Structures are given as C-alpha cells and as structure tokens.
Amino acid sequence: MLWIFLLLIHGLCAVALLGALTHQSVSVVYRSRPKRDLIRSFGAVRSNIYTNTIVALYIVTFALGGWIYAPYRYMSRPVLEDLGFFQAVALFDLKEHVAAVCLFLIPAYWLLWARVPLSQSKHARAALTILLAVGSWFSFVVGHVLNNFRGI
Amino acid sequence: MSAITPEEMPAATWVHRALPVFSMVGVVGYLVSMSFNWAPFVYYPVVNEIHVSEQADIGPGMFWYGWMAYAAMFAFGMALLALLLPVRAGRALSERFAWCLWAAPLMVILTIVVLMRHTLFS
C-alpha cells in the first residue's frame, strides 16, 4: 500500500513538473511574441519564475522515483521478464539513465536561469530547458506505459 | 524570482565556475561508471543491504545508485578544481563552452541508446 501511495505522489509531482517545464520550454521558443493565439499566449509568460519550482519538483520527483525503484527491481521486473516484456524493461532502464543525466543537469539549468542575465547564453538556456522537458516527458510516458503493463 | 541584469550580475561568483563543471562532468561520469559498471556499492533491495561488492543468493543487486554516487563524487571533485581557476579564465571558459551544457548530455543519452540497442530494438 505504501508503494502505491508513493507511486501516486511520484506521478502527481511528475505532472506538476511537466506542466512547469512545458510552459517554460514554450516560453523560450515563443518568447516576446504577441498573444495572438493559444500557443503564443501559453508561451507569453515570465519564464524565469518557474525555475526554482522546477528544480524543487525535479529533485522531489527523482527522489520518490529512486525510492520506489527498489521494490520495482525485485517485485515487478522479474514478472515482466517472465512474461517476455524485455523491451519494456529496457525502456525502463533507459528512463532511469535519462532521469539520472537530467538530475546532473539541474545545477547548470539553475545557474543559467537564476544567475546568468536572460540576455546572455540564450541558446544554451533554451536548449537545456528543452532537453530537460523532453527527458521528463520521456520518463513520464515510459513510467506510465510500464504501469499499464501492471508492472508497478 | 526577478531576472537580473548584466550590471547587477556579480563578477563570476563561485557558482559560475563550479556548477557548469559539476553538470558536465557528472553527465559524462555517469556514462563512464554505467558503461564500465563502476560502483562504490551495490544495493540489494530484497534484504535491504548495501555491499561493496557483488553478492550471490541475496536477490538482484542494484548498481544504479552506485553509478550515480561515483559520478557525483567525480563531478564534485572536478567542480572543486574548477574553483582554483582564475575568475576571469573561469568566466571565459563557461561562456565559450556554454554549448557543451546541452551537447554533452545529448551525446551521452545517444551513446546510452547505442549501448542498449540490443535490448531496446530486439
């Protein structure tokens, strides 16, 4: 029961993280455009206000994921392997690698958004934000797909 | 949080030198420790024990935490070394190689996909 509760909290934190990261990513792509349509209005925000929230949410989501990874390893993964879902298991392994790589990017991400003037390092900031967003979306989708296998 | 202007920015504080190095070395260090299976410890979730070497008969071992620990230690050490750089040199390096902050993790993820190709695309 504890693991299901933690999985739910992990999922809810991931949804909040995705919302903030997607909003920030769209804002770096459509920065300072007029609010003519839905997408541009979605992106016409002060993108730097999301930074600390994204950092906190990423760390909390990652910590919860790292915690529930242990029971997955001995309870769910053997079942998936017995059922022959080797690609699903490999995808989950890739998700863990992507999540770990993105965790190491968090300090540079925070630096670029919070300590470097927004007029400088624009390309690096935008690319890093989009990379984090894509990595988080990939992790979320893979986790959700595996959950649909009744793996966790 | 309000955006800071170039005039308000402090002259290359320690975070400007240490954090980019920590991120880049951490990402590459994770790839290296994962590829060579270098981990200072292995966690065995069935018995909830940590061992410094692989054990038999106590369930599957998890190296992932150990890979991250080694990468973090290596990154922390290199970030400390980066603090020894002169302020101006550190600032110039971080500006010149800002593109590495996104290119390095992208290359690392692509390398991991290549390393896992047999299980991912079988």
Side-chain angles (χ1 to χ4, degrees), chain B residues 38-43 50-53 62-67 69-70 73:
Chain B
W38 290 341
F41 59 84
V42 189
Y43 175 58
I50 292 173
H51 293 271
V52 290
S53 59
M62 297 179 71
F63 292 84
W64 184 64
Y65 304 104
W67 297 336
Y70 254 158
M73 282 189 271

Side-chain angles (χ1 to χ4, degrees), chain A residues 48 66 87 90 97 104 108 115, chain B residues 1 16 23 30 65 116 120 122:
Chain A
N48 57 319
Q87 280 181 319
H97 297 317
F104 281 110
R115 286 290 178 269
Chain B
M1 190 177 64
H16 291 84
S23 285
Y30 179 81
Y65 304 104
M116 294 180 67
L120 278 172
S122 59

Side-chain angles (χ1 to χ4, degrees), chain A residues 10-11 19 23 31 45 48 51 56 74 79 81 84 88 102-104 115-117 121-122 136 138-139 147 149:
Chain A
H10 174 61
H23 220 131
R31 194 162 358 123
V45 293
N48 57 319
T51 307
Y74 69 90
V79 176
E81 288 172 336
C102 288
L103 180 72
F104 281 110
R115 286 290 178 269
V116 174
S121 303
K122 286 180 184 175
S136 299
F138 172 76
S139 298
N147 195 37
F149 274 107

Side-chain angles (χ1 to χ4, degrees), chain A residues 46 48 51 62 66 69-70 73-74 87 90 93-94 96-97 100 104-105 107-108 110-111 115 117-119 124 127-128 131, chain B residues 1 3-4 6 9 16 19-20 23 26 30 45-46 60 62 64-65 67-68 71 98 101-102 105-106 112 116 119-120 122:
Chain A
R46 283 174 55 212
N48 57 319
T51 307
F62 185 90
Y69 187 31
R73 183 64 186 84
Y74 69 90
Q87 280 181 319
D93 288 346
L94 182 61
E96 295 307 320
H97 297 317
F104 281 110
L105 295 181
W110 178 82
L111 173 74
R115 286 290 178 269
L118 294 179
S119 57
L128 202 56
L131 195 64
Chain B
M1 190 177 64
I4 57 174
M9 189 180 70
H16 291 84
L19 295 189
S23 285
Y30 179 81
V46 175
M62 297 179 71
W64 184 64
Y65 304 104
W67 297 336
M68 282 196 298
L101 288 174
W102 59 267
L106 196 61
I112 291 173
M116 294 180 67
T119 47
L120 278 172
S122 59

